[in-house]
Amino acid sequence: MKLNKLYVVLVLLAVVAPFFLYPVFLAKLLCFALFACAFNLMLGYVGLLSFGHAAFLGTGGYITGWLMMNSGLTPELAVILGTVAAGALGAVFGKLSVKREGIYFAMVTLALAQLVFFLYLQAPFTGGEDGMQGVSRGELFGFIDLTDNLNMYYFVLAVFLFGFWLVHRTIHSPFGQILKAIRENEPRAVSLGYEVNNYKWVAFTISAALAGLAGSTKTLVFQLASLTDVHWHMSGEVVLMTLVGGVGTILGPVVGAGVIVTMQNYLSGGELGNYVHIIMGFIFVICVLAFRSGIVGELQKVWKRNFG
Amino acid sequence: MSADYVLETRNLIKEFKGFTAVDDVNLQVARGHIHALIGPNGAGKTTVFNLLTKFLIPTSGQILFNGDDITAMKPAAIARKGVVRSFQISAVFPHLSVLENVRVALQRKEGHSFHFWRSQKVLDRLNERAYELLASVGLADFAEAQTVDLSYGRKRALEIATTLALEPELMLLDEPTQGMGHEDVGLVADLIKKVSKGRTILMVEHNLHVVSKLADRITVLQRGSILTEGDYSTVSADPRVREAYMGTAASEEQDRADEQAAMEVVEEARG
């Protein structure tokens, strides 16, 4: 019940936030939060660290961007198709990678994502180094003008809430129960008759599709799809967001994305612009050394100690 | 005559690089029996066990379950056929509740294990059956506890309840009393006896007292081959078994004494 109240408060905050803060910034924040939630589904609930999630973010972005520029589809359809494309790519990558564990899984996903990166670098439709610029936002359902930043923000908020709900539901579903069992004791799950790789594969596909959804909406927000989103830096950044916020907690990735994106935004503008990566690296080291369970994880511990 | 046997191996061989761990084993487990697999350390018991449960692939030979060749099947697939194993280290899901542990097993036959869009509330209708199973192993009062907090013996009991949830035709138990205190050994032995009704059990066991109490038939392994077979009185009277066992029992004690001595030396050096 307490958690439900917290959610209500957070949603209300998100609804009124654009009247106090710049909506495009908030939309960016939500896109990354969704991306981190998708990633956390794999790392936090399956226990597999994917180092190739940028491929799905980027694929969603490019497909949606291309459709908006060339097909005349309405934005919601372009976003859905971008998501489906990322999910399909995830299904293929997942089939190839879930048989591996630990560092090998990370390496396979990284290698596949690099393959995708170079494909997009060379493919004519992406605009290569220049990226895909001037993507129109279009009109949602044919009548809501997304060039209005406020409208855009609320669309992103709706998408985010859907994605967050889906992750939450997946974790708390019969399927999620099996995922937990696999994470807890894989040989035992096998001995109970579960084909564990199939479960990991489905989780990976969902995670990839949601990362694609984040990328698709992000492209609409910035009217741009670029190589930054498929670069391995992006795969690393989402690991950072998730760890800072709290891996395996439902709100952790949201908080982590908030912290990292806000920092990047403010630091890169100021005098410390050149040191962004050093500062982030420093925070990462501190988190790994001192706050293993991330911001949300640590808060939960404090909460449990005092009220639990 | 294979119909009388739930499980059968034919000329089972497992070779690791330059070393034959299991050498031409023909094992027959009769329906309804508690069958014990014993032998000194390194006799190949665990290897045989892992071959039977498909966690290892045999170099050659056949494994038959109810007369069907299951040699090439995957571990999860034989579990669905009704062959369920336990592990040496108690196999539970530590950060699920005791009730949830049993439900994970019950859930499989419900057919909604891939439904990520449904609420886990659909699992609540399994609770009644889960409580029954927990009660049958004496864990009804612990249903809501986190599994990690249970004592070792209770974890073992939970593991058995989880296995029973699958209603297996054949249970394979890997050293069910290993690492247990005296009381827990008795508890688990009684439990095995109780759940053996109407099913077949094959167990690897070190504790000869437990074996003498439970087993209908005993197979003694030595150096990867079957040394002898029979009921407890036959097997225990066999001088070769005594030699094999006493030999290592003595050497184990020797090992332990050596270890002790080594520890003392270390302690002294520190002090």
Side-chain angles (χ1 to χ4, degrees):
Chain A
M1 281 313 284
K2 269 178 198 146
L3 204 59
N4 281 342
K5 273 183 201 154
L6 179 65
Y7 285 146
V8 171
V9 171
L10 289 176
V11 170
L12 286 177
L13 277 177
V15 169
V16 298
F19 296 104
F20 303 98
L21 293 160
Y22 184 44
V24 173
F25 167 69
L26 290 172
K28 178 184 179 186
L29 226 148
L30 287 178
C31 289
F32 278 106
L34 178 56
F35 182 37
C37 284
F39 172 80
N40 186 41
L41 182 63
M42 277 318 280
L43 182 60
Y45 295 93
V46 186
L48 288 174
L49 190 148
S50 158
F51 211 76
H53 258 50
F56 311 125
L57 185 82
T59 298
Y62 277 129
I63 299 296
T64 300
W66 187 84
L67 288 170
M68 287 311 291
M69 290 170 85
N70 298 293
S71 74
L73 287 178
T74 47
E76 72 283 357
L77 291 176
V79 166
I80 289 171
L81 289 174
T83 306
V84 169
L89 187 69
V92 176
F93 281 18
K95 259 287 178 267
L96 296 168
S97 60
V98 294
K99 286 178 197 149
R100 304 279 169 263
E101 276 170 26
I103 188 77
Y104 301 102
F105 177 80
M107 287 295 128
V108 172
T109 48
L110 172 63
L112 291 168
Q114 285 303 95
L115 210 82
V116 169
F117 173 83
F118 286 108
L119 242 146
Y120 286 140
L121 179 65
Q122 298 298 333
F125 84 99
T126 62
E129 302 268 10
D130 299 331
M132 202 182 269
Q133 298 188 14
V135 176
S136 65
R137 287 180 178 173
E139 294 184 321
L140 191 64
F141 307 118
F143 63 90
I144 301 171
D145 185 10
L146 289 183
T147 48
D148 181 275
N149 278 341
L150 214 54
N151 287 349
M152 185 70 230
Y153 170 76
Y154 285 119
F155 174 59
V156 175
L157 180 60
V159 166
F160 168 79
L161 288 176
F162 165 76
F164 185 82
W165 170 82
L166 189 67
V167 170
H168 186 271
R169 174 42 63 86
T170 301
I171 294 164
H172 300 284
S173 69
F175 173 72
Q177 195 69 15
I178 303 304
L179 285 186
K180 265 181 233 162
I182 292 170
R183 189 189 53 180
E184 290 275 300
N185 191 339
E186 186 166 332
R188 181 54 170 169
V190 171
S191 84
L192 293 179
Y194 292 106
E195 299 285 355
V196 295
N197 286 343
N198 294 348
Y199 289 83
K200 292 180 187 175
W201 177 61
V202 170
F204 192 86
T205 306
I206 297 170
S207 173
L210 285 174
L213 179 61
S216 295
T217 34
K218 185 169 165 290
T219 291
L220 285 185
V221 172
F222 291 106
Q223 304 183 274
L224 168 78
S226 74
L227 286 173
T228 319
D229 290 351
V230 268
H231 198 271
W232 65 267
H233 277 173
M234 188 57 80
S235 297
E237 226 157 77
V238 75
V239 178
L240 180 63
M241 289 174 190
T242 310
L243 287 180
V244 168
V247 78
T249 61
I250 185 102
L251 280 172
V254 181
V255 174
V259 170
I260 300 293
V261 171
T262 309
M263 264 182 30
Q264 281 173 342
N265 250 49
Y266 285 96
L267 289 179
S268 63
E271 289 169 15
L272 294 167
N274 296 328
Y275 300 101
V276 175
H277 287 289
I278 297 176
I279 296 172
M280 292 212 318
F282 195 62
I283 291 178
F284 183 70
V285 171
I286 291 176
C287 269
V288 169
L289 288 178
F291 307 106
R292 271 287 168 89
S293 38
I295 297 170
V296 173
E298 295 294 335
L299 284 177
Q300 275 175 351
K301 275 189 209 162
V302 172
W303 180 269
K304 260 186 201 157
R305 222 173 290 142
N306 296 319
F307 307 100
Chain B
M1 283 306 288
S2 67
D4 293 328
Y5 299 121
V6 176
L7 188 74
E8 222 181 317
T9 71
R10 290 185 185 156
N11 309 105
L12 199 62
I13 294 175
K14 177 69 188 176
E15 286 168 354
F16 296 107
K17 278 173 196 155
F19 160 68
T20 309
V22 175
D23 192 3
D24 199 19
V25 166
N26 292 288
L27 189 70
Q28 280 128 2
V29 180
R31 191 176 303 282
H33 268 185
I34 297 182
H35 193 126
L37 202 55
I38 66 170
N41 280 342
K45 302 182 298 284
T46 299
T47 311
V48 169
F49 196 84
N50 282 331
L51 290 172
L52 294 177
T53 50
K54 324 307 300 168
F55 278 65
L56 283 175
I57 299 160
T59 311
S60 66
Q62 270 188 314
I63 302 167
L64 305 176
F65 175 63
N66 284 333
D68 299 334
D69 191 335
I70 59 165
T71 319
M73 284 175 89
K74 287 203 274 179
I78 65 155
R80 291 195 294 273
K81 257 178 123 41
V83 183
V84 181
R85 73 169 290 180
S86 75
F87 294 82
Q88 252 182 45
I89 306 149
S90 83
V92 290
F93 304 113
H95 297 97
L96 298 184
S97 77
V98 170
L99 185 72
E100 283 174 326
N101 260 267
V102 181
R103 280 202 324 203
V104 167
L106 288 171
Q107 193 184 328
R108 208 195 67 219
K109 285 180 184 152
E110 295 286 303
H112 52 38
S113 292
F114 278 108
H115 293 185
F116 59 84
W117 57 90
R118 288 173 81 174
S119 165
Q120 61 187 359
K121 290 203 182 81
V122 297
L123 297 175
D124 286 347
R125 73 184 146 167
L126 301 173
N127 286 359
E128 199 183 327
R129 176 80 187 116
Y131 272 111
E132 274 173 34
L133 285 160
L134 287 176
S136 75
V137 298
L139 285 177
D141 295 340
F142 298 90
E144 303 301 326
Q146 276 268 305
T147 304
V148 68
D149 299 330
L150 293 186
S151 72
Y152 190 73
R154 292 206 173 104
K155 278 190 191 132
R156 272 271 128 129
L158 173 60
E159 189 188 341
I160 289 172
T162 309
T163 304
L164 286 176
L166 299 178
E167 290 169 20
E169 201 177 329
L170 173 65
M171 281 169 82
L172 302 169
L173 307 178
D174 193 2
E175 306 202 9
T177 66
Q178 199 219 20
M180 281 187 186
H182 212 63
E183 267 172 49
D184 281 344
V185 169
L187 205 87
V188 169
D190 289 345
L191 202 55
I192 293 171
K193 188 82 198 167
K194 190 169 150 196
V195 303
S196 69
K197 290 198 182 76
R199 48 176 59 91
T200 310
I201 293 178
L202 175 70
M203 57 192 244
V204 169
E205 181 56 69
H206 258 307
N207 189 325
L208 289 182
H209 180 65
V210 172
V211 171
S212 71
K213 257 178 40 183
L214 291 177
D216 300 301
R217 193 171 172 82
I218 296 165
T219 300
V220 186
L221 282 180
Q222 193 189 20
R223 296 201 194 94
S225 330
I226 295 178
L227 185 67
T228 181
E229 275 186 300
D231 60 14
Y232 185 74
S233 53
T234 319
V235 166
S236 61
D238 193 318
R240 289 172 305 168
V241 176
R242 301 192 137 204
E243 191 193 340
Y245 248 87
M246 291 310 163
T248 54
S251 76
E252 253 175 55
E253 240 154 62
Q254 186 58 47
D255 285 350
R256 222 165 284 148
D258 289 347
E259 218 169 272
Q260 191 77 31
M263 287 296 286
E264 275 163 21
V265 171
V266 171
E267 289 293 316
E268 254 171 51
R270 274 198 195 141

